[in-house]
PDB file of all heavy atoms in Angstrom:
ATOM      1  N   LEU A  27     121.976  84.529  81.531  1.00 95.00           N
ATOM      2  CA  LEU A  27     120.673  84.445  82.167  1.00 95.00           C
ATOM      3  C   LEU A  27     120.684  85.315  83.409  1.00 95.00           C
ATOM      4  O   LEU A  27     119.637  85.895  83.763  1.00 95.00           O
ATOM      5  CB  LEU A  27     120.306  82.994  82.499  1.00 95.00           C
ATOM      6  CG  LEU A  27     119.928  82.106  81.288  1.00 95.00           C
ATOM      7  CD1 LEU A  27     119.719  80.675  81.747  1.00 95.00           C
ATOM      8  CD2 LEU A  27     118.663  82.593  80.638  1.00 95.00           C
ATOM      9  N   GLU A  28     121.771  85.324  84.165  1.00 95.00           N
ATOM     10  CA  GLU A  28     121.850  86.195  85.326  1.00 95.00           C
ATOM     11  C   GLU A  28     121.748  87.693  84.949  1.00 95.00           C
ATOM     12  O   GLU A  28     121.084  88.433  85.605  1.00 95.00           O
ATOM     13  CB  GLU A  28     123.147  85.918  86.077  1.00 95.00           C
ATOM     14  CG  GLU A  28     123.138  84.628  86.861  1.00 95.00           C
ATOM     15  CD  GLU A  28     124.456  84.256  87.527  1.00 95.00           C
ATOM     16  OE1 GLU A  28     125.477  84.909  87.158  1.00 95.00           O
ATOM     17  OE2 GLU A  28     124.463  83.388  88.346  1.00 95.00           O
ATOM     18  N   ALA A  29     122.396  88.023  83.843  1.00 94.00           N
ATOM     19  CA  ALA A  29     122.331  89.437  83.364  1.00 94.00           C
ATOM     20  C   ALA A  29     120.918  89.795  82.988  1.00 94.00           C
ATOM     21  O   ALA A  29     120.408  90.860  83.286  1.00 94.00           O
ATOM     22  CB  ALA A  29     123.265  89.659  82.193  1.00 94.00           C
ATOM     23  N   GLU A  30     120.184  88.817  82.329  1.00 93.00           N
ATOM     24  CA  GLU A  30     118.844  89.043  81.960  1.00 93.00           C
ATOM     25  C   GLU A  30     117.971  89.221  83.160  1.00 93.00           C
ATOM     26  O   GLU A  30     116.992  90.050  83.211  1.00 93.00           O
ATOM     27  CB  GLU A  30     118.414  87.869  81.083  1.00 93.00           C
ATOM     28  CG  GLU A  30     117.021  88.094  80.460  1.00 93.00           C
ATOM     29  CD  GLU A  30     116.645  86.942  79.538  1.00 93.00           C
ATOM     30  OE1 GLU A  30     117.520  86.273  78.992  1.00 93.00           O
ATOM     31  OE2 GLU A  30     115.404  86.777  79.324  1.00 93.00           O
ATOM     32  N   LEU A  31     118.202  88.379  84.162  1.00 92.00           N
ATOM     33  CA  LEU A  31     117.444  88.418  85.428  1.00 92.00           C
ATOM     34  C   LEU A  31     117.669  89.746  86.172  1.00 92.00           C
ATOM     35  O   LEU A  31     116.741  90.385  86.631  1.00 92.00           O
ATOM     36  CB  LEU A  31     117.826  87.262  86.367  1.00 92.00           C
ATOM     37  CG  LEU A  31     117.108  87.256  87.715  1.00 92.00           C
ATOM     38  CD1 LEU A  31     115.626  87.054  87.537  1.00 92.00           C
ATOM     39  CD2 LEU A  31     117.715  86.049  88.578  1.00 92.00           C
ATOM     40  N   ASP A  32     118.934  90.216  86.138  1.00 91.00           N
ATOM     41  CA  ASP A  32     119.237  91.579  86.734  1.00 91.00           C
ATOM     42  C   ASP A  32     118.517  92.626  86.009  1.00 91.00           C
ATOM     43  O   ASP A  32     117.965  93.593  86.631  1.00 91.00           O
ATOM     44  CB  ASP A  32     120.693  91.781  86.725  1.00 91.00           C
ATOM     45  CG  ASP A  32     121.498  90.938  87.738  1.00 91.00           C
ATOM     46  OD1 ASP A  32     120.834  90.336  88.652  1.00 91.00           O
ATOM     47  OD2 ASP A  32     122.685  90.780  87.585  1.00 91.00           O
ATOM     48  N   GLU A  33     118.445  92.549  84.704  1.00 90.00           N
ATOM     49  CA  GLU A  33     117.756  93.559  83.867  1.00 90.00           C
ATOM     50  C   GLU A  33     116.198  93.549  84.243  1.00 90.00           C
ATOM     51  O   GLU A  33     115.586  94.583  84.383  1.00 90.00           O
ATOM     52  CB  GLU A  33     117.969  93.267  82.366  1.00 90.00           C
ATOM     53  CG  GLU A  33     117.332  94.239  81.471  1.00 90.00           C
ATOM     54  CD  GLU A  33     117.979  95.594  81.451  1.00 90.00           C
ATOM     55  OE1 GLU A  33     119.166  95.706  81.840  1.00 90.00           O
ATOM     56  OE2 GLU A  33     117.328  96.610  81.176  1.00 90.00           O
ATOM     57  N   CYS A  34     115.688  92.334  84.381  1.00 85.00           N
ATOM     58  CA  CYS A  34     114.218  92.217  84.729  1.00 85.00           C
ATOM     59  C   CYS A  34     114.008  92.847  86.112  1.00 85.00           C
ATOM     60  O   CYS A  34     112.951  93.528  86.294  1.00 85.00           O
ATOM     61  CB  CYS A  34     113.799  90.803  84.651  1.00 85.00           C
ATOM     62  SG  CYS A  34     113.641  90.155  82.989  1.00 85.00           S
ATOM     63  N   ARG A  35     114.866  92.565  87.067  1.00 86.00           N
ATOM     64  CA  ARG A  35     114.724  93.062  88.368  1.00 86.00           C
ATOM     65  C   ARG A  35     114.792  94.597  88.387  1.00 86.00           C
ATOM     66  O   ARG A  35     114.060  95.275  89.037  1.00 86.00           O
ATOM     67  CB  ARG A  35     115.788  92.512  89.359  1.00 86.00           C
ATOM     68  CG  ARG A  35     115.493  91.099  89.760  1.00 86.00           C
ATOM     69  CD  ARG A  35     116.492  90.588  90.710  1.00 86.00           C
ATOM     70  NE  ARG A  35     116.211  89.229  91.121  1.00 86.00           N
ATOM     71  CZ  ARG A  35     117.087  88.358  91.480  1.00 86.00           C
ATOM     72  NH1 ARG A  35     118.371  88.723  91.580  1.00 86.00           N
ATOM     73  NH2 ARG A  35     116.772  87.168  91.805  1.00 86.00           N
ATOM     74  N   LYS A  36     115.741  95.150  87.611  1.00 84.00           N
ATOM     75  CA  LYS A  36     115.906  96.618  87.508  1.00 84.00           C
ATOM     76  C   LYS A  36     114.638  97.190  86.902  1.00 84.00           C
ATOM     77  O   LYS A  36     114.083  98.221  87.436  1.00 84.00           O
ATOM     78  CB  LYS A  36     117.105  96.951  86.633  1.00 84.00           C
ATOM     79  CG  LYS A  36     117.422  98.409  86.584  1.00 84.00           C
ATOM     80  CD  LYS A  36     118.633  98.695  85.707  1.00 84.00           C
ATOM     81  CE  LYS A  36     118.168  98.663  84.294  1.00 84.00           C
ATOM     82  NZ  LYS A  36     119.132  99.143  83.312  1.00 84.00           N
ATOM     83  N   ASN A  37     114.126  96.593  85.843  1.00 81.00           N
ATOM     84  CA  ASN A  37     112.896  97.102  85.228  1.00 81.00           C
ATOM     85  C   ASN A  37     111.736  96.961  86.200  1.00 81.00           C
ATOM     86  O   ASN A  37     110.885  97.810  86.186  1.00 81.00           O
ATOM     87  CB  ASN A  37     112.597  96.377  83.883  1.00 81.00           C
ATOM     88  CG  ASN A  37     113.605  96.785  82.813  1.00 81.00           C
ATOM     89  OD1 ASN A  37     114.226  97.790  82.901  1.00 81.00           O
ATOM     90  ND2 ASN A  37     113.731  95.862  81.867  1.00 81.00           N
ATOM     91  N   TRP A  38     111.688  95.890  86.979  1.00 78.00           N
ATOM     92  CA  TRP A  38     110.631  95.705  87.919  1.00 78.00           C
ATOM     93  C   TRP A  38     110.681  96.785  89.021  1.00 78.00           C
ATOM     94  O   TRP A  38     109.639  97.321  89.463  1.00 78.00           O
ATOM     95  CB  TRP A  38     110.687  94.346  88.584  1.00 78.00           C
ATOM     96  CG  TRP A  38     109.573  94.012  89.420  1.00 78.00           C
ATOM     97  CD1 TRP A  38     109.543  94.087  90.831  1.00 78.00           C
ATOM     98  CD2 TRP A  38     108.241  93.566  89.065  1.00 78.00           C
ATOM     99  NE1 TRP A  38     108.310  93.734  91.258  1.00 78.00           N
ATOM    100  CE2 TRP A  38     107.474  93.382  90.179  1.00 78.00           C
ATOM    101  CE3 TRP A  38     107.707  93.258  87.797  1.00 78.00           C
ATOM    102  CZ2 TRP A  38     106.179  92.940  90.173  1.00 78.00           C
ATOM    103  CZ3 TRP A  38     106.376  92.832  87.776  1.00 78.00           C
ATOM    104  CH2 TRP A  38     105.674  92.682  88.953  1.00 78.00           C
ATOM    105  N   ASP A  39     111.862  97.155  89.429  1.00 74.00           N
ATOM    106  CA  ASP A  39     112.060  98.224  90.438  1.00 74.00           C
ATOM    107  C   ASP A  39     111.527  99.582  89.901  1.00 74.00           C
ATOM    108  O   ASP A  39     110.987 100.342  90.609  1.00 74.00           O
ATOM    109  CB  ASP A  39     113.464  98.338  90.862  1.00 74.00           C
ATOM    110  CG  ASP A  39     113.964  97.103  91.666  1.00 74.00           C
ATOM    111  OD1 ASP A  39     113.052  96.356  92.166  1.00 74.00           O
ATOM    112  OD2 ASP A  39     115.163  96.898  91.779  1.00 74.00           O
ATOM    113  N   HIS A  40     111.800  99.830  88.613  1.00 77.00           N
ATOM    114  CA  HIS A  40     111.358 101.100  88.067  1.00 77.00           C
ATOM    115  C   HIS A  40     109.913 101.089  87.592  1.00 77.00           C
ATOM    116  O   HIS A  40     109.354 102.156  87.219  1.00 77.00           O
ATOM    117  CB  HIS A  40     112.251 101.439  86.855  1.00 77.00           C
ATOM    118  CG  HIS A  40     113.710 101.729  87.224  1.00 77.00           C
ATOM    119  ND1 HIS A  40     114.020 102.734  88.116  1.00 77.00           N
ATOM    120  CD2 HIS A  40     114.856 101.083  86.890  1.00 77.00           C
ATOM    121  CE1 HIS A  40     115.327 102.757  88.266  1.00 77.00           C
ATOM    122  NE2 HIS A  40     115.851 101.742  87.550  1.00 77.00           N
ATOM    123  N   ARG A  41     109.291  99.908  87.666  1.00 77.00           N
ATOM    124  CA  ARG A  41     107.915  99.769  87.237  1.00 77.00           C
ATOM    125  C   ARG A  41     107.015 100.624  88.053  1.00 77.00           C
ATOM    126  O   ARG A  41     106.106 101.328  87.587  1.00 77.00           O
ATOM    127  CB  ARG A  41     107.465  98.316  87.343  1.00 77.00           C
ATOM    128  CG  ARG A  41     106.058  98.038  87.082  1.00 77.00           C
ATOM    129  CD  ARG A  41     105.712  96.564  87.403  1.00 77.00           C
ATOM    130  NE  ARG A  41     106.047  96.273  88.809  1.00 77.00           N
ATOM    131  CZ  ARG A  41     105.171  96.392  89.818  1.00 77.00           C
ATOM    132  NH1 ARG A  41     103.956  96.765  89.600  1.00 77.00           N
ATOM    133  NH2 ARG A  41     105.510  96.074  91.014  1.00 77.00           N
ATOM    134  N   ASP A  42     107.258 100.679  89.413  1.00 75.00           N
ATOM    135  CA  ASP A  42     106.446 101.526  90.298  1.00 75.00           C
ATOM    136  C   ASP A  42     106.508 103.006  89.924  1.00 75.00           C
ATOM    137  O   ASP A  42     105.486 103.669  89.926  1.00 75.00           O
ATOM    138  CB  ASP A  42     106.883 101.290  91.703  1.00 75.00           C
ATOM    139  CG  ASP A  42     106.528  99.952  92.260  1.00 75.00           C
ATOM    140  OD1 ASP A  42     105.635  99.294  91.708  1.00 75.00           O
ATOM    141  OD2 ASP A  42     107.224  99.528  93.222  1.00 75.00           O
ATOM    142  N   ASP A  43     107.754 103.484  89.605  1.00 77.00           N
ATOM    143  CA  ASP A  43     107.814 104.829  89.177  1.00 77.00           C
ATOM    144  C   ASP A  43     107.083 105.149  87.879  1.00 77.00           C
ATOM    145  O   ASP A  43     106.396 106.132  87.756  1.00 77.00           O
ATOM    146  CB  ASP A  43     109.328 105.192  88.904  1.00 77.00           C
ATOM    147  CG  ASP A  43     110.151 105.073  90.207  1.00 77.00           C
ATOM    148  OD1 ASP A  43     109.535 105.177  91.285  1.00 77.00           O
ATOM    149  OD2 ASP A  43     111.397 104.905  90.095  1.00 77.00           O
ATOM    150  N   PHE A  44     107.153 104.191  86.915  1.00 78.00           N
ATOM    151  CA  PHE A  44     106.418 104.342  85.699  1.00 78.00           C
ATOM    152  C   PHE A  44     104.941 104.422  85.978  1.00 78.00           C
ATOM    153  O   PHE A  44     104.242 105.283  85.413  1.00 78.00           O
ATOM    154  CB  PHE A  44     106.728 103.195  84.701  1.00 78.00           C
ATOM    155  CG  PHE A  44     105.843 103.141  83.539  1.00 78.00           C
ATOM    156  CD1 PHE A  44     106.041 104.063  82.511  1.00 78.00           C
ATOM    157  CD2 PHE A  44     104.771 102.249  83.400  1.00 78.00           C
ATOM    158  CE1 PHE A  44     105.220 103.995  81.401  1.00 78.00           C
ATOM    159  CE2 PHE A  44     103.958 102.199  82.329  1.00 78.00           C
ATOM    160  CZ  PHE A  44     104.191 103.109  81.291  1.00 78.00           C
ATOM    161  N   TRP A  45     104.422 103.520  86.775  1.00 81.00           N
ATOM    162  CA  TRP A  45     102.975 103.494  86.993  1.00 81.00           C
ATOM    163  C   TRP A  45     102.545 104.758  87.797  1.00 81.00           C
ATOM    164  O   TRP A  45     101.479 105.214  87.589  1.00 81.00           O
ATOM    165  CB  TRP A  45     102.551 102.222  87.725  1.00 81.00           C
ATOM    166  CG  TRP A  45     102.531 101.041  86.857  1.00 81.00           C
ATOM    167  CD1 TRP A  45     103.284  99.957  86.739  1.00 81.00           C
ATOM    168  CD2 TRP A  45     101.563 100.867  85.737  1.00 81.00           C
ATOM    169  NE1 TRP A  45     102.918  99.111  85.778  1.00 81.00           N
ATOM    170  CE2 TRP A  45     101.917  99.708  85.067  1.00 81.00           C
ATOM    171  CE3 TRP A  45     100.497 101.655  85.216  1.00 81.00           C
ATOM    172  CZ2 TRP A  45     101.206  99.202  83.995  1.00 81.00           C
ATOM    173  CZ3 TRP A  45      99.816 101.157  84.127  1.00 81.00           C
ATOM    174  CH2 TRP A  45     100.106  99.955  83.536  1.00 81.00           C
ATOM    175  N   LYS A  46     103.367 105.221  88.699  1.00 82.00           N
ATOM    176  CA  LYS A  46     103.020 106.452  89.404  1.00 82.00           C
ATOM    177  C   LYS A  46     102.934 107.644  88.413  1.00 82.00           C
ATOM    178  O   LYS A  46     101.951 108.432  88.496  1.00 82.00           O
ATOM    179  CB  LYS A  46     104.025 106.751  90.496  1.00 82.00           C
ATOM    180  CG  LYS A  46     103.956 105.862  91.736  1.00 82.00           C
ATOM    181  CD  LYS A  46     104.971 106.188  92.731  1.00 82.00           C
ATOM    182  CE  LYS A  46     104.883 105.207  93.858  1.00 82.00           C
ATOM    183  NZ  LYS A  46     105.994 105.354  94.806  1.00 82.00           N
ATOM    184  N   ASP A  47     103.905 107.730  87.539  1.00 84.00           N
ATOM    185  CA  ASP A  47     103.890 108.765  86.519  1.00 84.00           C
ATOM    186  C   ASP A  47     102.622 108.645  85.659  1.00 84.00           C
ATOM    187  O   ASP A  47     101.981 109.603  85.312  1.00 84.00           O
ATOM    188  CB  ASP A  47     105.144 108.759  85.639  1.00 84.00           C
ATOM    189  CG  ASP A  47     106.425 109.088  86.444  1.00 84.00           C
ATOM    190  OD1 ASP A  47     106.266 109.656  87.552  1.00 84.00           O
ATOM    191  OD2 ASP A  47     107.510 108.814  85.941  1.00 84.00           O
ATOM    192  N   ARG A  48     102.345 107.453  85.238  1.00 87.00           N
ATOM    193  CA  ARG A  48     101.211 107.198  84.376  1.00 87.00           C
ATOM    194  C   ARG A  48      99.894 107.532  85.169  1.00 87.00           C
ATOM    195  O   ARG A  48      98.988 108.169  84.558  1.00 87.00           O
ATOM    196  CB  ARG A  48     101.182 105.723  83.940  1.00 87.00           C
ATOM    197  CG  ARG A  48     100.063 105.358  83.002  1.00 87.00           C
ATOM    198  CD  ARG A  48     100.212 105.973  81.651  1.00 87.00           C
ATOM    199  NE  ARG A  48      99.119 105.551  80.791  1.00 87.00           N
ATOM    200  CZ  ARG A  48      98.586 106.279  79.885  1.00 87.00           C
ATOM    201  NH1 ARG A  48      99.038 107.519  79.630  1.00 87.00           N
ATOM    202  NH2 ARG A  48      97.580 105.854  79.188  1.00 87.00           N
ATOM    203  N   GLU A  49      99.813 107.177  86.362  1.00 89.00           N
ATOM    204  CA  GLU A  49      98.648 107.445  87.238  1.00 89.00           C
ATOM    205  C   GLU A  49      98.459 108.966  87.340  1.00 89.00           C
ATOM    206  O   GLU A  49      97.364 109.497  87.241  1.00 89.00           O
ATOM    207  CB  GLU A  49      98.767 106.812  88.546  1.00 89.00           C
ATOM    208  CG  GLU A  49      97.535 106.937  89.435  1.00 89.00           C
ATOM    209  CD  GLU A  49      97.736 106.252  90.755  1.00 89.00           C
ATOM    210  OE1 GLU A  49      98.852 105.777  91.093  1.00 89.00           O
ATOM    211  OE2 GLU A  49      96.746 106.215  91.498  1.00 89.00           O
ATOM    212  N   GLU A  50      99.531 109.709  87.609  1.00 90.00           N
ATOM    213  CA  GLU A  50      99.484 111.171  87.699  1.00 90.00           C
ATOM    214  C   GLU A  50      98.998 111.742  86.371  1.00 90.00           C
ATOM    215  O   GLU A  50      98.126 112.725  86.368  1.00 90.00           O
ATOM    216  CB  GLU A  50     100.790 111.699  88.103  1.00 90.00           C
ATOM    217  CG  GLU A  50     101.153 111.489  89.569  1.00 90.00           C
ATOM    218  CD  GLU A  50     102.615 111.913  89.877  1.00 90.00           C
ATOM    219  OE1 GLU A  50     103.170 112.675  89.061  1.00 90.00           O
ATOM    220  OE2 GLU A  50     103.095 111.520  90.948  1.00 90.00           O
ATOM    221  N   GLU A  51      99.506 111.250  85.329  1.00 92.00           N
ATOM    222  CA  GLU A  51      99.110 111.772  84.013  1.00 92.00           C
ATOM    223  C   GLU A  51      97.624 111.526  83.723  1.00 92.00           C
ATOM    224  O   GLU A  51      96.889 112.416  83.235  1.00 92.00           O
ATOM    225  CB  GLU A  51      99.947 111.113  82.887  1.00 92.00           C
ATOM    226  CG  GLU A  51      99.653 111.607  81.473  1.00 92.00           C
ATOM    227  CD  GLU A  51     100.420 110.859  80.423  1.00 92.00           C
ATOM    228  OE1 GLU A  51     101.354 110.108  80.751  1.00 92.00           O
ATOM    229  OE2 GLU A  51     100.047 111.041  79.245  1.00 92.00           O
ATOM    230  N   LEU A  52      97.164 110.362  84.055  1.00 91.00           N
ATOM    231  CA  LEU A  52      95.749 110.050  83.889  1.00 91.00           C
ATOM    232  C   LEU A  52      94.856 110.866  84.779  1.00 91.00           C
ATOM    233  O   LEU A  52      93.778 111.327  84.318  1.00 91.00           O
ATOM    234  CB  LEU A  52      95.485 108.515  84.081  1.00 91.00           C
ATOM    235  CG  LEU A  52      96.060 107.597  83.065  1.00 91.00           C
ATOM    236  CD1 LEU A  52      95.860 106.170  83.493  1.00 91.00           C
ATOM    237  CD2 LEU A  52      95.387 107.817  81.715  1.00 91.00           C
ATOM    238  N   ARG A  53      95.289 111.122  85.993  1.00 92.00           N
ATOM    239  CA  ARG A  53      94.535 112.007  86.857  1.00 92.00           C
ATOM    240  C   ARG A  53      94.462 113.418  86.354  1.00 92.00           C
ATOM    241  O   ARG A  53      93.407 114.073  86.407  1.00 92.00           O
ATOM    242  CB  ARG A  53      95.153 112.019  88.284  1.00 92.00           C
ATOM    243  CG  ARG A  53      94.827 110.813  89.102  1.00 92.00           C
ATOM    244  CD  ARG A  53      95.311 110.926  90.552  1.00 92.00           C
ATOM    245  NE  ARG A  53      94.937 109.764  91.261  1.00 92.00           N
ATOM    246  CZ  ARG A  53      95.569 109.331  92.255  1.00 92.00           C
ATOM    247  NH1 ARG A  53      96.649 109.990  92.733  1.00 92.00           N
ATOM    248  NH2 ARG A  53      95.175 108.222  92.911  1.00 92.00           N
ATOM    249  N   ARG A  54      95.566 113.889  85.818  1.00 94.00           N
ATOM    250  CA  ARG A  54      95.577 115.214  85.235  1.00 94.00           C
ATOM    251  C   ARG A  54      94.632 115.342  84.022  1.00 94.00           C
ATOM    252  O   ARG A  54      93.882 116.230  83.976  1.00 94.00           O
ATOM    253  CB  ARG A  54      97.030 115.627  84.805  1.00 94.00           C
ATOM    254  CG  ARG A  54      97.154 117.041  84.270  1.00 94.00           C
ATOM    255  CD  ARG A  54      98.525 117.265  83.683  1.00 94.00           C
ATOM    256  NE  ARG A  54      98.911 116.343  82.671  1.00 94.00           N
ATOM    257  CZ  ARG A  54      98.487 116.362  81.426  1.00 94.00           C
ATOM    258  NH1 ARG A  54      97.637 117.331  81.050  1.00 94.00           N
ATOM    259  NH2 ARG A  54      98.911 115.546  80.490  1.00 94.00           N
ATOM    260  N   ILE A  55      94.723 114.325  83.150  1.00 93.00           N
ATOM    261  CA  ILE A  55      93.835 114.290  81.987  1.00 93.00           C
ATOM    262  C   ILE A  55      92.340 114.236  82.463  1.00 93.00           C
ATOM    263  O   ILE A  55      91.480 114.956  81.935  1.00 93.00           O
ATOM    264  CB  ILE A  55      94.154 113.076  81.080  1.00 93.00           C
ATOM    265  CG1 ILE A  55      95.537 113.337  80.443  1.00 93.00           C
ATOM    266  CG2 ILE A  55      93.061 112.866  80.071  1.00 93.00           C
ATOM    267  CD1 ILE A  55      96.056 112.114  79.717  1.00 93.00           C
ATOM    268  N   LEU A  56      92.072 113.434  83.452  1.00 93.00           N
ATOM    269  CA  LEU A  56      90.678 113.338  83.965  1.00 93.00           C
ATOM    270  C   LEU A  56      90.253 114.624  84.536  1.00 93.00           C
ATOM    271  O   LEU A  56      89.094 115.079  84.341  1.00 93.00           O
ATOM    272  CB  LEU A  56      90.600 112.206  85.064  1.00 93.00           C
ATOM    273  CG  LEU A  56      89.291 111.936  85.664  1.00 93.00           C
ATOM    274  CD1 LEU A  56      88.264 111.480  84.569  1.00 93.00           C
ATOM    275  CD2 LEU A  56      89.335 110.927  86.743  1.00 93.00           C
ATOM    276  N   HIS A  57      91.123 115.317  85.267  1.00 93.00           N
ATOM    277  CA  HIS A  57      90.818 116.612  85.856  1.00 93.00           C
ATOM    278  C   HIS A  57      90.527 117.618  84.747  1.00 93.00           C
ATOM    279  O   HIS A  57      89.517 118.402  84.854  1.00 93.00           O
ATOM    280  CB  HIS A  57      91.936 117.066  86.760  1.00 93.00           C
ATOM    281  CG  HIS A  57      91.654 118.398  87.408  1.00 93.00           C
ATOM    282  ND1 HIS A  57      90.776 118.565  88.405  1.00 93.00           N
ATOM    283  CD2 HIS A  57      92.218 119.630  87.212  1.00 93.00           C
ATOM    284  CE1 HIS A  57      90.724 119.849  88.796  1.00 93.00           C
ATOM    285  NE2 HIS A  57      91.633 120.497  88.046  1.00 93.00           N
ATOM    286  N   VAL A  58      91.299 117.655  83.694  1.00 93.00           N
ATOM    287  CA  VAL A  58      91.125 118.565  82.605  1.00 93.00           C
ATOM    288  C   VAL A  58      89.762 118.289  81.908  1.00 93.00           C
ATOM    289  O   VAL A  58      88.995 119.212  81.628  1.00 93.00           O
ATOM    290  CB  VAL A  58      92.289 118.457  81.598  1.00 93.00           C
ATOM    291  CG1 VAL A  58      91.927 119.139  80.272  1.00 93.00           C
ATOM    292  CG2 VAL A  58      93.516 119.091  82.223  1.00 93.00           C
ATOM    293  N   GLU A  59      89.489 117.023  81.685  1.00 94.00           N
ATOM    294  CA  GLU A  59      88.195 116.617  81.051  1.00 94.00           C
ATOM    295  C   GLU A  59      87.025 117.018  81.947  1.00 94.00           C
ATOM    296  O   GLU A  59      85.978 117.512  81.472  1.00 94.00           O
ATOM    297  CB  GLU A  59      88.196 115.115  80.791  1.00 94.00           C
ATOM    298  CG  GLU A  59      89.037 114.676  79.664  1.00 94.00           C
ATOM    299  CD  GLU A  59      88.646 115.217  78.325  1.00 94.00           C
ATOM    300  OE1 GLU A  59      87.446 115.299  78.084  1.00 94.00           O
ATOM    301  OE2 GLU A  59      89.535 115.566  77.489  1.00 94.00           O
ATOM    302  N   LYS A  60      87.161 116.792  83.228  1.00 94.00           N
ATOM    303  CA  LYS A  60      86.108 117.172  84.150  1.00 94.00           C
ATOM    304  C   LYS A  60      85.868 118.646  84.163  1.00 94.00           C
ATOM    305  O   LYS A  60      84.713 119.076  84.138  1.00 94.00           O
ATOM    306  CB  LYS A  60      86.427 116.690  85.567  1.00 94.00           C
ATOM    307  CG  LYS A  60      85.226 116.513  86.529  1.00 94.00           C
ATOM    308  CD  LYS A  60      85.692 116.127  87.881  1.00 94.00           C
ATOM    309  CE  LYS A  60      86.064 114.662  87.968  1.00 94.00           C
ATOM    310  NZ  LYS A  60      86.320 114.247  89.370  1.00 94.00           N
ATOM    311  N   GLU A  61      86.925 119.408  84.173  1.00 95.00           N
ATOM    312  CA  GLU A  61      86.803 120.894  84.148  1.00 95.00           C
ATOM    313  C   GLU A  61      86.136 121.345  82.832  1.00 95.00           C
ATOM    314  O   GLU A  61      85.289 122.249  82.853  1.00 95.00           O
ATOM    315  CB  GLU A  61      88.196 121.553  84.304  1.00 95.00           C
ATOM    316  CG  GLU A  61      88.785 121.459  85.713  1.00 95.00           C
ATOM    317  CD  GLU A  61      87.954 122.196  86.731  1.00 95.00           C
ATOM    318  OE1 GLU A  61      87.472 123.364  86.411  1.00 95.00           O
ATOM    319  OE2 GLU A  61      87.804 121.673  87.847  1.00 95.00           O
ATOM    320  N   ARG A  62      86.504 120.701  81.776  1.00 94.00           N
ATOM    321  CA  ARG A  62      85.908 121.053  80.468  1.00 94.00           C
ATOM    322  C   ARG A  62      84.398 120.739  80.466  1.00 94.00           C
ATOM    323  O   ARG A  62      83.651 121.571  80.051  1.00 94.00           O
ATOM    324  CB  ARG A  62      86.629 120.340  79.323  1.00 94.00           C
ATOM    325  CG  ARG A  62      86.179 120.755  77.987  1.00 94.00           C
ATOM    326  CD  ARG A  62      86.891 120.017  76.842  1.00 94.00           C
ATOM    327  NE  ARG A  62      88.347 120.223  76.956  1.00 94.00           N
ATOM    328  CZ  ARG A  62      89.217 119.243  76.722  1.00 94.00           C
ATOM    329  NH1 ARG A  62      88.851 118.099  76.302  1.00 94.00           N
ATOM    330  NH2 ARG A  62      90.503 119.500  76.791  1.00 94.00           N
TER     331      ARG A  62
END
């Protein structure tokens, strides 16, 4: 259970990076659509 908790904490720490990357990708897609 401690190993599982550590894995969840590690994934939670990387969650912000994932959402930042996803947000940048969505902004880029929105910009491309707006330009089109």
